[in-house]
Amino acid sequence: DLVDGNAKIASIKVTGDAAGLAANLSDLAAIGHKLTSIDQSDADTNPLALTGDAYDANRGTLAKIAGGYTAELSAVAASKAAVYAADVHVGSLHVADTGANLSSSWDALATLGSKLADFTQSDSAALQLTAQQWSAEHSLADKAAGTLAVDVSKATVADAATLASDDAVQQVNIVDTAAAVSAALGDLSGNTKLGQVELSNPTTALTMSADTF
């Protein structure tokens, strides 16, 4: 209000702490070209807490912070997390998205390391991951802000028991040879988390005893 419409003010410099600057960022952006510089008084100790959308919308204003800045981003879409993580101004990020979007970005999220503080699932749908993804990137689940539910696909017969003992796994879907499935029919029949079984060589018949049948 001080600057808007006041022709006598040619330029203005603002000083504030991280909380104040973040809370008033849209007002600072509205000042436009008359805002020439911003000084963050606690830049050495506190990052700017912003949503991903607020960060994108105010990059021009943030660039006016003298000496640079560090941002801690929240409400980040899973598909944008890798882009933000590569930004030198982003110190950490908190992802929030649906189970479907977390599933499709799982591999990318697993590469973010310490910049990914945590992720929150916005719905109750089970994540859809392959056995390879769940095994190789299982540590990513430790960053879940809440309890995860996962449906695992493309598991082998050898994976089935281990996956079934995992509390996060709700369903195990198997793809394996007829020979492997035949040899494990007894164990598979007792697996309460078993969903579908698909033969990788469907033209080969299953073999089993009359008792097993």
Side-chain angles (χ1 to χ4, degrees), residues 14 21 36-46 48 61-71 88-89:
V14 172
L21 294 176
T36 58
S37 179
I38 301 172
D39 179 34
Q40 183 186 340
S41 60
D42 57 352
D44 292 338
T45 55
N46 293 319
L48 296 167
T61 302
L62 292 168
K64 297 179 181 182
I65 298 176
Y69 62 91
T70 300
V88 295
H89 292 296

Side-chain angles (χ1 to χ4, degrees), residues 126-153:
L127 272 63
Q128 304 296 317
L129 302 174
T130 66
Q132 191 279 331
Q133 286 178 303
W134 185 238
S135 174
E137 298 153 355
H138 195 278
S139 61
L140 179 57
D142 295 336
K143 295 192 176 184
T147 303
L148 277 186
V150 182
D151 286 350
V152 177
S153 62

Side-chain angles (χ1 to χ4, degrees), residues 156-157 160-161 174 180-192 194 197:
T156 65
V157 166
I174 289 175
V181 173
S182 297
L185 280 175
D187 292 333
L188 293 177
S189 65
N191 189 328
T192 59
L194 182 64
V197 177

Side-chain angles (χ1 to χ4, degrees), residues 65-81:
I65 298 176
Y69 62 91
T70 300
E72 178 181 4
L73 303 185
S74 61
V76 171
S79 62
K80 293 183 176 181

Side-chain angles (χ1 to χ4, degrees), residues 40-186:
Q40 183 186 340
S41 60
D42 57 352
D44 292 338
T45 55
N46 293 319
L48 296 167
L50 303 169
T51 65
D53 287 345
Y55 182 71
D56 285 338
N58 295 286
R59 287 177 186 263
T61 302
L62 292 168
K64 297 179 181 182
I65 298 176
Y69 62 91
T70 300
E72 178 181 4
L73 303 185
S74 61
V76 171
S79 62
K80 293 183 176 181
V83 174
Y84 288 131
D87 189 325
V88 295
H89 292 296
V90 176
S92 62
L93 50 92
H94 305 263
V95 170
D97 217 324
T98 64
N101 290 337
L102 290 171
S103 299
S104 61
S105 298
W106 189 261
D107 292 340
L109 293 174
T111 68
L112 303 187
S114 61
K115 277 203 172 182
L116 177 62
D118 57 43
F119 66 88
T120 301
Q121 186 176 342
S122 60
D123 62 9
S124 58
L127 272 63
Q128 304 296 317
L129 302 174
T130 66
Q132 191 279 331
Q133 286 178 303
W134 185 238
S135 174
E137 298 153 355
H138 195 278
S139 61
L140 179 57
D142 295 336
K143 295 192 176 184
T147 303
L148 277 186
V150 182
D151 286 350
V152 177
S153 62
K154 298 183 179 180
T156 65
V157 166
D159 298 327
T162 299
L163 289 170
S165 67
D166 189 326
D167 290 339
V169 175
Q170 305 302 301
Q171 187 177 87
V172 180
N173 298 306
I174 289 175
V175 179
D176 213 328
T177 64
V181 173
S182 297
L185 280 175

